Amino acid sequence: MSKYYLGVDVGGTTVKLGLFNEEGLILEKWEITTKTENNGIAILPDVAKTILDKLVEKNIDKQDVIGVGVGVPGAVDINGVVNTAVNLGWGVLDIKQTLSTLLDIPVEAANDANIAALGEMWKGGGIGYQNLVAVTLGTGVGGGIIINGKILTGCNGAAGEIGHIRVNFQEEQRCNCGIKGCLEQYASATGVVRLTKKHLQENKLPSILRESEITAKVLFDAVKEGDQLAIVIAEEFGEYLGNALASIAGVVNPEVFVIGGGVSKAGEILLTFIQKYYKESVFFANRETKFALAILGNDAGIYGAAKMVFK
Amino acid sequence: MSKYYLGVDVGGTTVKLGLFNEEGLILEKWEITTKTENNGIAILPDVAKTILDKLVEKNIDKQDVIGVGVGVPGAVDINGVVNTAVNLGWGVLDIKQTLSTLLDIPVEAANDANIAALGEMWKGGGIGYQNLVAVTLGTGVGGGIIINGKILTGCNGAAGEIGHIRVNFQEEQRCNCGIKGCLEQYASATGVVRLTKKHLQENKLPSILRESEITAKVLFDAVKEGDQLAIVIAEEFGEYLGNALASIAGVVNPEVFVIGGGVSKAGEILLTFIQKYYKESVFFANRETKFALAILGNDAGIYGAAKMVFK
């Protein structure tokens, strides 16, 4: 009899789900709306219902489902308990127990950035590696750390929260977290825009950046065209991020950094600027660490969630 | 029949050994000289001989020894292979296989800073915790990271090499590693002396530090006596180390930092200065991380080495 796995990525707007076979191939991918009202009380029952409906539709016996992996936007401890997921309306919730009771199928749960890292290791930019740090340069800067093929959770689920490593002790503006000079202030999508606008204001150089709406892709496209101001900004971006990754390497000694999120749409050129400063700052034992772009995009979560329960 | 464990800490001058019983109590502790000549070819045979002699002396049957744990000053991978231990004269050496063949007893091997961390978790300043970062402020700055009770090794044995995290991008002098502004330049025993001498030269303030040979203990004793210049130096020390530990917490989210090495002889006052800056820099999820002093001193290695094989 064939065996199956499910990966579930719970976001603030939609829940993404994936059904996998025993070869680890995705058979079907679908979404439902995340109902965050009433402290998100309906979310897990809705997830259970759509999974059970899918099993009926596919004529899959519940006994043939090995497990369901779930990622959520919050700190999840090693027992599958989340401690506050603001975007879902949740306080403390035992996801593993609640959902496994609803489904009568084994469940594992973890933080969404961590499962995305696991997904990239399994089927994405980190394929072939067992020790990686995934860096998501999105609205904020998130991270997920995989050690010997397993998620590094930390004592209260906050391992890999690398967006708030301080990289500039001279910064005068505060990060959303309240501290000044966090990596997120320079390397997130909003951080790149902020950094670019600052340079456009302070510098009189002509630049094609003055004529367009700024994104990381626009910035790095300008770099490719030889725009001098864009190069200055890209260097500063690379310096902060490269230095931060050098510190992280000194702590966990990974094989590869996998860079994803909206900013990574700028492409391979991004890695050039990061690696330049990384190599200048890093301890020699980590000088040969690889760099790769993430490739699964928004599907990294469902892949990683399934991988958590994949035997 | 009683069961036994051995912990071995191989240093550049002496090899420390400890014999433990099945309750984890140390029964005997002894040392032999480390013979580093001829690329340290005699070291493991000497270790095997002293262990076998001890078992004969104590009338312990080899079958009752569950295992021997070994720590060495070099990067050791998860298979127990060291890649260069300069202080021992070793290149690449499979410690686990070589010593277990000589002894006919199971062997595990790891880096000495990592086993010291494990020792402090088991019987020292980190007792009761399963996720800790041990920081050794000695000649250099070393570190060992324990996750869920196990050593974090990293892909080539360099996890926890936190002494070369860059903390001052304005530094003009190079660290021994070749990079400028490493934590080790300020927080090691030599780093504290360097920092103190720099302030004594640049600053005209009267200070009792001008009359004594500088050590971390002398510095912090002067702080306790209200010496203004000593306080300035202690603040700078605390700022670099506190900021570095905040970055490390953002990566691995530990329960506790255990601070050891010669510099930690300054006592609890050291922690006050570290924690002040740690709290200012750290992501909120890590704000309540505990700080403790190491308590096993030079015995941390044999305890941790034994713990590696302790069931």
Side-chain angles (χ1 to χ4, degrees), chain A residues 145 147 152 154-161 164-166 169 179 243 247-248 250-255 280-283 285, chain B residues 145 147 152 154-161 164-166 169 179 243 247-248 250-255 280-283 285:
Chain A
I145 299 172
I147 304 290
L152 175 65
C155 76
N156 56 29
E161 285 279 6
H164 301 282
I165 288 179
R166 287 179 79 191
F169 294 93
I179 289 169
N243 285 340
S247 295
I248 294 165
V251 182
V252 295
N253 180 221
E255 292 167 281
E280 283 181 18
S281 279
V282 82
F283 185 53
Chain B
I145 300 171
I147 305 290
L152 175 63
C155 76
N156 57 27
E161 285 279 7
H164 302 281
I165 289 179
R166 286 179 79 191
F169 294 93
I179 290 168
N243 285 338
S247 295
I248 294 165
V251 182
V252 295
N253 180 220
E255 292 166 281
E280 283 182 19
S281 278
V282 82
F283 186 53

Side-chain angles (χ1 to χ4, degrees), chain B residues 218-259:
Chain B
V218 165
L219 171 66
F220 282 93
D221 283 349
V223 169
K224 284 182 202 163
E225 291 178 38
D227 188 282
Q228 289 305 303
L229 189 57
I231 292 170
V232 169
I233 300 165
E235 294 280 351
E236 189 172 340
F237 164 89
E239 185 168 357
Y240 290 129
L241 185 49
N243 285 338
L245 299 188
S247 295
I248 294 165
V251 182
V252 295
N253 180 220
E255 292 166 281
V256 63
F257 286 101
V258 179
I259 313 291

Side-chain angles (χ1 to χ4, degrees), chain B residues 153-230:
Chain B
T153 304
C155 76
N156 57 27
E161 285 279 7
I162 60 172
H164 302 281
I165 289 179
R166 286 179 79 191
V167 294
N168 178 8
F169 294 93
Q170 276 73 49
E171 177 64 54
E172 290 171 2
Q173 287 187 28
R174 286 190 191 279
C175 177
N176 290 332
C177 78
I179 290 168
K180 294 174 183 170
C182 294
L183 176 61
E184 189 160 299
Q185 288 182 276
Y186 314 96
S188 65
T190 45
V192 170
V193 173
R194 192 184 77 97
L195 196 63
T196 304
K197 288 191 172 160
K198 179 173 152 280
H199 278 276
L200 287 172
Q201 272 176 11
E202 292 174 0
N203 201 310
K204 301 284 176 223
L205 272 180
S207 169
I208 50 180
L209 295 172
R210 297 189 191 277
E211 294 144 35
S212 25
E213 194 181 339
I214 306 300
T215 65
K217 182 153 186 350
V218 165
L219 171 66
F220 282 93
D221 283 349
V223 169
K224 284 182 202 163
E225 291 178 38
D227 188 282
Q228 289 305 303
L229 189 57

Side-chain angles (χ1 to χ4, degrees), chain B residues 38-60:
Chain B
N38 299 322
N39 299 322
I41 197 169
I43 298 174
L44 290 183
D46 283 354
V47 167
K49 181 170 186 310
T50 191
I51 288 175
L52 295 173
D53 287 351
K54 184 62 68 181
L55 298 183
V56 170
E57 176 196 326
K58 295 282 177 185
N59 204 18
I60 294 171

Side-chain angles (χ1 to χ4, degrees), chain A residues 5 19-27 122-123 303 306 310:
Chain A
Y5 304 85
L19 175 68
F20 294 77
N21 69 11
E22 59 199 325
E23 279 86 44
L25 295 174
I26 192 159
L27 301 175
W122 191 36
K123 301 276 186 181
Y303 277 95
F310 194 80

Side-chain angles (χ1 to χ4, degrees), chain B residues 70-77 109-117 143-144 151 157 159 161 308:
Chain B
V70 183
V72 303
V76 181
D77 71 17
N111 169 267
D112 57 359
N114 291 345
I115 59 157
I151 290 169
E161 285 279 7
M308 272 201 293

Side-chain angles (χ1 to χ4, degrees), chain A residues 60-289:
Chain A
I60 294 172
D61 195 300
K62 201 189 276 189
Q63 272 72 47
D64 294 323
V65 180
I66 303 295
V68 176
V70 183
V72 303
V76 180
D77 70 18
I78 53 170
N79 301 311
V81 178
V82 66
N83 179 8
T84 314
V86 178
N87 296 341
L88 307 180
W90 291 354
V92 174
L93 179 63
D94 188 334
I95 301 168
K96 182 170 170 167
Q97 201 195 335
T98 308
L99 190 59
S100 64
T101 304
L102 288 166
L103 285 170
D104 194 21
I105 297 173
V107 169
E108 297 291 338
N111 169 266
D112 57 359
N114 291 345
I115 59 158
L118 195 60
E120 289 290 341
M121 179 196 85
W122 191 36
K123 301 276 186 181
I127 206 163
Y129 297 102
Q130 293 280 301
N131 293 280
L132 69 84
V133 175
V135 180
T136 305
L137 308 174
T139 314
V141 171
I145 299 172
I146 307 295
I147 304 290
N148 299 329
K150 306 251 179 242
I151 291 169
L152 175 65
T153 303
C155 76
N156 56 29
E161 285 279 6
I162 60 171
H164 301 282
I165 288 179
R166 287 179 79 191
V167 293
N168 179 8
F169 294 93
Q170 276 74 49
E171 178 63 54
E172 289 171 5
Q173 287 187 31
R174 286 190 191 279
C175 177
N176 290 332
C177 78
I179 289 169
K180 294 173 184 171
C182 294
L183 176 61
E184 189 160 301
Q185 288 182 277
Y186 314 95
S188 66
T190 45
V192 170
V193 172
R194 193 184 76 96
L195 196 63
T196 304
K197 288 189 173 161
K198 180 173 151 279
H199 277 277
L200 287 172
Q201 272 175 12
E202 292 175 359
N203 201 310
K204 301 284 177 223
L205 272 180
S207 169
I208 50 180
L209 295 172
R210 298 189 191 278
E211 293 145 36
S212 25
E213 194 181 340
I214 306 301
T215 65
K217 180 151 187 356
V218 165
L219 171 66
F220 282 93
D221 283 349
V223 170
K224 284 182 204 164
E225 291 178 38
D227 189 282
Q228 289 305 304
L229 189 56
I231 292 169
V232 169
I233 301 164
E235 295 279 352
E236 190 171 341
F237 164 89
E239 185 168 359
Y240 289 129
L241 185 49
N243 285 340
L245 299 187
S247 295
I248 294 165
V251 182
V252 295
N253 180 221
E255 292 167 281
V256 63
F257 285 102
V258 180
I259 313 292
V263 173
S264 73
K265 288 183 184 151
E268 290 281 343
I269 190 170
L270 194 76
L271 303 185
T272 318
F273 285 86
I274 301 169
Q275 283 177 288
K276 174 181 169 188
Y277 290 95
Y278 175 82
K279 292 219 177 204
E280 283 181 18
S281 279
V282 82
F283 185 53
F284 72 88
N286 294 304
R287 208 158 283 162
E288 302 307 320
T289 308

